[in-house]
Amino acid sequence: MKVLVAVKRVVDFNVKVRVKADNSDVDLANVKMAMNPFCEIAVEEAVRLKEQGIATEVVVVSIGSSAAQEQLRTALALGADRAILVESAEDLTSLAVAKLLKAVVDKEQPQLVILGKQSIDSDNNQTGQMLAALSGYGQGTFASKVAISGDSVAVTREIDGGAQTVALKLPAIVTTDLRLNVPRYASLPNIMKAKKKPLEVLTPSALGVSCACTVHTLKVEAPAARSAGIKVKSVAELVEKLKNEAKVI
Amino acid sequence: MTILVIAEHDNKVVAPATLNTVAAAAKIGGDIHVLVAGLGAGAVAEAAAKIAGVAKVLVADNAAYAHQLPENVAPLIAELGKGYSHILAAATSNGKNILPRVAAALDVDQISEIISVESADTFKRPIYAGNAIATVQSNASVKVITVRATGFDPVAAEGGSASVETVAAAHDAGTSSFVGEELAKSDRPELTAAKIVVSGGRGMQNGDNFKHLYALADKLGAAVGASRAAVDAGFVPNDMQVGQTGKIVAPQLYIAVGISGAIQHLAGMKDSKVIVAINKDEEAPIFQVADYGLVADLFEAIPELEKLV
């Protein structure tokens, strides 16, 4: 079966971003960018399904600027077979991305679509669920285990109190949680080979999707800074401060 | 304006996060209705009707909603939600699972994890692991929003007297089914609602050593949390993880033990009122956000702390 994986180019997870002086957005000029960590887990899961002989083809798709080709090449180096970039310079909402992905799903007809559970920039945690709604497919969000048998997939999900397993009819949408797998690194020969793999570039208008959105960002501010704390010398001093100064115990 | 709040529950009791969500709805202003979708959830509906400020409780009791599968519940909420100005749910794993599906069904964008209400259409939410706060405005006909519980003080669970109305609508998409679940059992307070949280990180060295934290927590009436490093190392189960991808907490007191303080962990606890860090590395980033820092070996400091509190 065919597996479609969506990946996003985001700021590297180790970078502590700063807000621009005019409060319009965070400053991403000259900041290291990378594949969203949850998307790496999604690519890894798809490649493992291929190695197990379950998936026959792994297609990666990204939506964004042409720079996102870099992350698609990374996914190809990790084992994906071909890539699709839906090029858009605009800042798209999750719903717009889900609509574009729906158009790609209609075109490619995958049996399984794997996305990360959230991107570490917007922290929305929406796209997978929205794509599932638009396509009418079942959704297995926050997956820590994915087991395909016949025409269904059993997804073990991380929920607030523990773990839950649901069975979904294929085709289905899965979003990855941290503990689904440990992504591999791309080897140098595979990085070289990835340069020759096919990468198709599409546009939202070619897919017939308009990206009008109903939510707009008015401003972006730095969070309130905490006032500097103090270092105590002993446990006794700590307990004394917590009891008499902070009054929290 | 009428606001629909989706009750968070397990068919038996209303989860505390529902009270914080109703509080957010009250800030928006307007009549507040609560939807209880489940199976055999009569007690939940009764409890919801008593929540202060709630005008009406809608109950959809159907086998299809027993485990709140989003394929079945989301169409129900979307159908009922068309007549409302706002649809709110707590940003729990259930709320996050279901609400984006509702938003897409209504063809509107969703706003995730709001921490404050500026006006009926303008909200604040953290982005980039809480390193920036965005103010967003929605012109959607129905505003679909998840609420970060720690951003709003809960309303009273008693004092209301809402009418209870049964909703007949049944949606069973037939694309998903519940197989089973494994819930962690704990006598300690729930992590996201606890007044005091004691968390351990990689510095705990192994799962057995968490007994020191449990002993301290029991004496303080605290919940026990963990960093991702402690969860990944298998010290404790992953529902104890505090951080950007785990639980978001904002207790009165947060005691971080053997936790370095990575960006992703801070995202889950930096709104705590008082933060205490106990770490033997005096350069650990956690000391930059801690109100009280103690540079010490945790294996000496924790038993001593337990004795003194």
Side-chain angles (χ1 to χ4, degrees):
Chain A
M1 66 180 196
K2 190 193 277 188
V3 178
L4 184 73
V5 182
V7 301
K8 184 176 183 184
R9 174 182 170 90
V10 299
V11 66
D12 184 272
F13 72 96
N14 275 315
V15 173
K16 190 168 182 206
V17 295
R18 283 179 203 289
V19 170
K20 282 183 186 170
D22 66 357
N23 291 123
S24 59
D25 202 351
V26 295
D27 192 356
L28 292 181
N30 305 316
V31 168
K32 188 184 174 201
M33 302 295 279
M35 193 193 297
N36 181 43
F38 290 98
C39 303
E40 287 183 356
I41 295 170
V43 172
E44 175 67 30
E45 195 64 18
V47 172
R48 287 187 190 188
L49 287 173
K50 195 179 169 199
E51 287 167 348
Q52 290 162 22
I54 296 169
T56 48
E57 189 184 27
V58 175
V59 182
V60 284
V61 54
S62 191
I63 294 163
S65 70
S66 62
Q69 289 196 21
E70 202 183 313
Q71 278 62 48
L72 288 171
R73 290 289 172 203
T74 303
L76 293 171
L78 291 169
D81 297 295
R82 61 189 171 85
I84 300 169
L85 173 68
V86 181
E87 199 170 323
S88 167
E90 286 171 77
D91 226 359
L92 300 174
T93 62
S94 302
L95 183 63
V97 170
K99 285 179 178 174
L100 289 165
L101 289 176
K102 164 74 165 58
V104 174
V105 165
D106 286 346
K107 192 165 166 281
E108 295 286 337
Q109 298 287 319
Q111 285 293 294
L112 187 67
V113 185
I114 313 181
L115 303 88
K117 81 163 176 181
Q118 75 190 62
S119 64
I120 60 165
D121 50 0
S122 58
D123 280 336
N124 273 325
N125 197 334
Q126 298 173 356
T127 307
Q129 294 89 315
M130 287 178 161
L131 174 60
L134 297 175
S135 56
Y137 297 163
Q139 67 187 52
T141 53
F142 327 145
S144 60
K145 193 175 167 214
V146 174
I148 289 167
S149 58
D151 61 354
S152 84
V153 55
V155 180
T156 302
R157 310 175 50 235
E158 293 195 8
I159 59 170
D160 287 336
Q164 178 193 67
T165 304
V166 292
L168 309 171
K169 260 189 206 163
L170 292 175
I173 313 286
V174 167
T175 75
T176 64
D177 214 319
L178 281 173
R179 275 161 285 273
L180 180 59
N181 60 48
V182 178
R184 70 193 68 188
Y185 292 99
S187 67
L188 187 58
N190 284 344
I191 292 171
M192 301 310 288
K193 276 184 218 155
K195 291 183 179 170
K196 296 201 177 70
K197 289 185 180 177
L199 193 160
E200 185 184 1
V201 179
L202 300 170
T203 60
S205 56
L207 290 168
V209 176
S210 81
C211 300
C213 58
T214 56
V215 169
H216 302 273
T217 300
L218 301 181
K219 64 178 171 185
V220 175
E221 298 161 292
R226 291 187 76 95
S227 52
I230 56 161
K231 285 219 172 113
V232 294
K233 290 196 175 57
S234 68
V235 174
E237 190 189 347
L238 174 64
V239 172
E240 192 274 321
K241 296 268 190 211
L242 290 178
K243 277 188 175 153
N244 301 321
E245 197 175 276
K247 298 190 199 318
V248 284
I249 56 173
Chain B
M1 278 196 311
T2 315
I3 302 165
L4 183 64
V5 171
I6 313 303
E8 170 87 12
H9 68 91
D10 60 356
N11 291 325
K12 295 185 193 79
V13 293
V14 180
T18 307
L19 302 177
N20 306 74
T21 311
V22 171
K27 289 225 163 125
I28 294 168
D31 280 352
I32 300 172
H33 296 180
V34 172
L35 171 67
V36 177
L39 180 66
V44 176
E46 274 174 40
K50 289 187 188 134
I51 297 174
V54 174
K56 194 200 279 184
V57 175
L58 305 172
V59 186
D61 214 286
N62 192 296
Y65 309 140
H67 300 285
Q68 318 237 339
L69 295 174
E71 296 80 2
N72 303 342
V73 174
L76 168 74
I77 299 172
E79 184 186 298
L80 293 173
K82 281 195 182 104
Y84 287 88
S85 61
H86 298 73
I87 302 174
L88 267 59
T92 54
S93 54
N94 251 336
K96 290 175 184 178
N97 194 27
I98 295 168
L99 231 54
R101 202 167 171 123
V102 173
L106 292 170
D107 196 26
V108 297
D109 291 298
Q110 189 214 286
I111 303 177
S112 294
E113 302 221 18
I114 61 161
I115 53 168
S116 86
V117 173
E118 303 297 296
S119 71
D121 65 359
T122 308
F123 309 91
K124 286 193 176 180
R125 61 176 302 265
I127 53 175
Y128 290 90
N131 286 305
I133 307 295
T135 305
V136 295
Q137 188 172 44
S138 168
N139 57 18
S141 52
V142 185
K143 293 160 185 69
V144 181
I145 297 165
T146 61
V147 175
R148 180 173 288 190
T150 57
F152 300 87
D153 292 330
V155 296
E158 300 283 336
S161 54
S163 60
V164 178
E165 205 172 276
T166 305
V167 176
H171 294 270
D172 193 345
T175 49
S176 63
S177 58
F178 173 83
V179 178
E181 62 189 3
E182 277 175 59
L183 300 180
K185 292 219 167 21
S186 170
D187 297 331
R188 294 189 187 86
E190 201 219 338
L191 194 51
T192 52
K195 290 209 161 49
I196 303 179
V197 174
V198 181
S199 279
R202 199 194 307 270
M204 297 306 295
Q205 294 178 5
N206 59 51
D208 195 38
N209 284 336
F210 263 74
K211 66 178 185 235
H212 300 299
L213 297 190
Y214 295 138
L216 174 62
D218 288 343
K219 211 150 167 206
L220 290 167
V224 178
S227 69
R228 181 184 168 190
V231 173
D232 281 353
F235 300 174
V236 291
N238 50 32
D239 53 278
M240 282 170 66
Q241 185 180 328
V242 172
Q244 183 183 19
T245 64
K247 301 218 164 94
I248 313 287
V249 301
Q252 294 288 304
L253 173 62
Y254 188 90
I255 305 179
V257 182
I259 291 175
S260 63
I263 295 171
Q264 292 77 16
H265 184 74
L266 299 182
M269 46 63 80
K270 69 179 176 184
D271 292 325
S272 306
K273 185 161 170 271
V274 174
I275 297 173
V276 169
I278 300 174
N279 205 303
K280 64 181 176 189
D281 174 13
E282 63 178 308
E283 302 291 320
I286 190 79
F287 286 119
Q288 291 164 17
V289 299
D291 299 279
Y292 302 106
L294 176 64
V295 181
D297 182 346
L298 68 96
F299 294 106
E300 286 165 21
I302 296 302
E304 196 186 340
L305 184 56
E306 192 210 324
K307 254 183 239 141
L308 291 175
V309 294

